[in-house]
Amino acid sequence: MQLTKEQRIFIVVNFLDSNSIQHVKKLFQECFTRRNSPSIVAIWKNVRKYKTEGTSLNLTKGRSGRKSTERALENVEIVHQALLANPDISSRKNGLGKSKSTISRILKLELKRHPYKMHVRHKLLDTDLPRQLNFAQRFLQKNDRFIEDIVIGDEAAFHLNGKVNSHNVRRYAPKNNPPDFNYDVEISREKVSISMGLCRNECLLGPFFTTII
């Protein structure tokens, strides 16, 4: 676990005051009881960094290793233009000759874009509203025992036609500003359904297999 800013300052101040690493370890343990005292090497490195750099804070960000070129302005602009042309760009199959990690870093760190999942909705038809209204009116006319006689059920449908897998479709947009990204599908009639029901007395009904073509 890295030392916090407060802990680094504590180490430097107390070492300069006592010039003793062991004394710093003892004071550190008394002051920060929820973590172990840093090693002698860690304390000395913080003191040495302060003497050479003028600070003991972490200076590795942007200074260590070979300078990365994957997020150069040229690459950022290429990804930006591709994103404007196709907001559904795939980080894996991007067609830009860039690696998945490069595209992902540019989208997230440079362009501040977040991949949103597409929502699949049932497509509403002109005949749906009257049917829904009729069902609600019939439901209100039922007696009080009607609720107790309801069978709670669920089903799994295996469609025979192709359907969009929304888990594999993403659209990039600014974070906390999701796009209107939906896919309306008509309720398919070509499917095999498996259904079961649960009665009020905990009795199970089914499974029932239904083929609709």
Side-chain angles (χ1 to χ4, degrees):
M1 181 185 300
Q2 288 191 353
L3 295 169
T4 65
K5 178 179 179 180
E6 179 186 4
Q7 292 166 350
R8 292 175 185 271
I9 295 175
F10 180 89
I11 289 175
V12 172
V13 170
N14 283 278
F15 179 83
L16 295 178
D17 183 56
S18 64
N19 200 32
S20 171
I21 291 182
Q22 293 297 338
H23 183 66
V24 173
K25 286 177 61 68
K26 180 181 178 182
L27 293 179
F28 188 97
Q29 194 64 61
E30 293 176 354
C31 183
F32 303 99
T33 57
R34 294 190 176 182
R35 68 158 294 167
N36 295 330
S37 177
S39 65
I40 294 176
V41 174
I43 293 175
W44 174 242
K45 282 185 177 180
N46 274 274
V47 174
R48 184 177 60 184
K49 181 186 292 185
Y50 174 79
K51 290 182 177 180
T52 57
E53 301 280 356
T55 178
S56 65
L57 301 182
N58 192 352
L59 298 177
T60 59
K61 185 176 181 180
R63 296 180 53 178
S64 62
R66 179 175 58 87
K67 185 177 180 180
S68 175
T69 59
E70 63 179 12
R71 285 158 54 195
L73 292 178
E74 180 182 356
N75 289 337
V76 173
E77 182 60 23
I78 291 174
V79 175
H80 185 213
Q81 293 301 322
L83 185 64
L84 292 178
N86 178 22
D88 305 337
I89 184 174
S90 170
S91 59
R92 182 177 292 106
K93 300 178 181 179
N94 52 76
L96 302 176
K98 309 294 183 184
S99 66
K100 178 180 181 296
S101 59
T102 296
I103 298 297
S104 297
R105 290 191 183 99
I106 291 177
L107 289 170
K108 179 179 180 181
L109 301 177
E110 301 296 337
L111 301 178
K112 309 299 182 183
R113 292 298 191 268
H114 180 77
Y116 288 92
K117 178 181 176 181
M118 180 176 64
H119 297 284
V120 178
R121 307 179 304 189
H122 286 296
K123 184 176 181 180
L124 294 179
L125 304 177
D126 294 338
T127 56
D128 288 336
L129 182 58
R131 292 170 55 193
Q132 293 173 349
L133 179 61
N134 182 50
F135 174 82
Q137 291 173 341
R138 290 174 54 194
F139 188 85
L140 292 175
Q141 296 173 0
K142 299 295 182 179
N143 56 42
D144 295 338
R145 284 191 51 84
F146 175 70
I147 298 296
E148 298 182 1
D149 295 334
I150 289 180
V151 176
I152 306 299
D154 200 0
E155 67 175 5
F158 298 87
H159 295 268
L160 303 181
N161 62 336
K163 296 192 68 175
V164 173
N165 184 352
S166 60
H167 291 284
N168 294 333
V169 181
R170 295 290 187 273
R171 173 166 293 177
Y172 286 92
K175 195 170 184 179
N176 299 324
N177 187 21
D180 184 16
F181 190 29
N182 305 297
Y183 178 71
D184 296 332
V185 296
E186 297 183 13
I187 299 178
S188 174
R189 299 294 295 177
E190 299 179 348
K191 62 183 178 180
V192 175
S193 298
I194 304 174
S195 57
M196 293 187 66
L198 176 64
C199 301
R200 184 171 179 271
N201 61 359
E202 300 183 359
C203 177
L204 288 176
L205 301 178
F208 302 102
F209 295 84
T210 307
T211 302
I212 302 177
I213 306 232

